[in-house]
Amino acid sequence: MRPDTGVLIAAGGRGERMGPGIPKQFRPIRGVPMLLRAVRPFAQHPRVRKIIVALPEDDAQAPPPWLNEVAGERLTIVSGGPTRADSVFAALSALDAVCSIVLVHDAARPFVTVETIDGVIERAAAGVAVVPAVRVGDTLKRVQPGTARVLETVDRSDLWRAQTPQGFPRAVLEAAFASVKPAARASYTDEAALIEATGGRVEIVPDRVGNLKVTTEEDFLLAEYFVTP
Ligand code: CTP
Ligand code: MG
């Protein structure tokens, strides 16, 4: 199989909810930077032709050397934008024409497995926009804004949490971006939402809870526990 997949890594954020210090994507989890953990499974995947990493502007000027070491000539670094969607768009714009499948992955998800990647590529290659997702397990409460008052219990039976990498036939993703004005991109928190908004069909593939997203300091501690030394 000829490699036909381009991977866009969203690593252009500042990690503000993690608190002070270097942006979270550069922080080591048991010695290995989160971004390196997030890129490595794609760099080792035979179907992946290109990996475009969107970094904060300063870091894009002076990227960490381990990025080159892990992905070699398949790697391209671009400057991200003010929002995640802008960073993803910048990465998509730098992708070689030859990649017909596009995966979009958060640098903040360092534990993606090859099984998840395979499942997403399989559906995207079949022409489907696809989101790896996990069933919501907790009981959900709607709370009155600004108060502690529970208004209701929300039926969770058909709710899933969207993870990444999300996978797309390239033409579908490009058409979705083209249909939204650049200023409106920020209101879409993932690429699947862009496609849903334009009436396109999106499917889920069941994913693992372990493909967690590191947002806060507490998530970071969880991530360190998660790695077997
Ligand atoms: N991201 C990006 N470009 C931006 C903002 C976010 O590429 N302008 C990336 C982040 O680097 C991260 C992913 O999108 O890998 C998910 O975003 P999030 O977890 O919100 O990360 P940050 O925006 O960095 O964190 P925060 O919102 O706490 O500042
Ligand atoms: Mg953010």
Side-chain angles (χ1 to χ4, degrees):
M1 168 92 48
R2 269 171 59 83
D4 54 359
T5 301
V7 180
L8 316 180
I9 304 281
R14 300 267 163 213
E16 274 157 19
R17 283 169 290 178
M18 275 284 279
I22 56 169
K24 62 184 178 184
Q25 60 270 38
F26 301 119
R27 284 212 207 176
I29 297 172
R30 290 203 190 263
V32 181
M34 180 145 70
L35 172 60
L36 178 52
R37 288 186 182 273
V39 169
R40 207 161 42 183
F42 297 99
Q44 291 165 355
H45 198 287
R47 198 85 187 241
V48 171
R49 187 180 188 99
K50 269 284 175 190
I51 300 174
I52 320 281
V53 181
L55 292 179
E57 203 175 337
D58 300 355
D59 300 291
Q61 305 303 323
W66 42 256
L67 259 187
N68 242 323
E69 282 156 28
V70 71
E73 52 191 36
R74 282 187 293 172
L75 178 78
T76 300
I77 290 167
V78 298
S79 284
T83 71
R84 181 181 176 285
D86 296 317
S87 295
V88 171
F89 185 73
L92 179 61
S93 307
L95 186 62
D96 311 39
V98 74
C99 294
S100 56
I101 299 168
V102 181
L103 305 190
V104 182
H105 186 60
D106 287 332
R109 289 189 193 272
F111 304 127
V112 59
T113 62
V114 67
E115 289 79 14
T116 294
I117 296 171
D118 285 346
V120 169
I121 290 180
E122 187 187 325
R123 296 304 292 144
V128 177
V130 61
V131 176
V134 174
R135 257 187 201 287
V136 172
D138 295 332
T139 295
L140 297 178
K141 302 292 184 190
R142 190 182 310 283
V143 175
Q144 190 164 42
T147 75
R149 167 90 194 269
V150 172
L151 295 175
E152 61 170 341
T153 298
V154 179
D155 180 13
R156 61 154 197 241
S157 53
D158 51 6
L159 294 182
W160 295 69
R161 291 189 293 107
Q163 305 198 143
T164 72
Q166 302 191 349
F168 309 93
R170 182 190 187 131
V172 170
L173 184 60
E174 286 181 337
F177 268 111
S179 69
V180 172
K181 289 199 180 81
R185 271 182 215 143
S187 60
Y188 299 91
T189 51
D190 70 2
E191 288 59 52
L194 277 174
I195 288 160
E196 293 156 34
T198 51
R201 183 186 166 97
V202 178
E203 291 185 1
I204 59 113
V205 281
D207 195 12
R208 299 172 182 213
V209 171
N211 184 15
L212 55 88
K213 178 163 166 284
V214 178
T215 305
T216 62
E217 190 68 44
E218 196 179 2
D219 299 327
F220 189 82
L221 294 174
L222 197 66
E224 293 231 293
Y225 277 118
F226 192 76
V227 178
T228 34

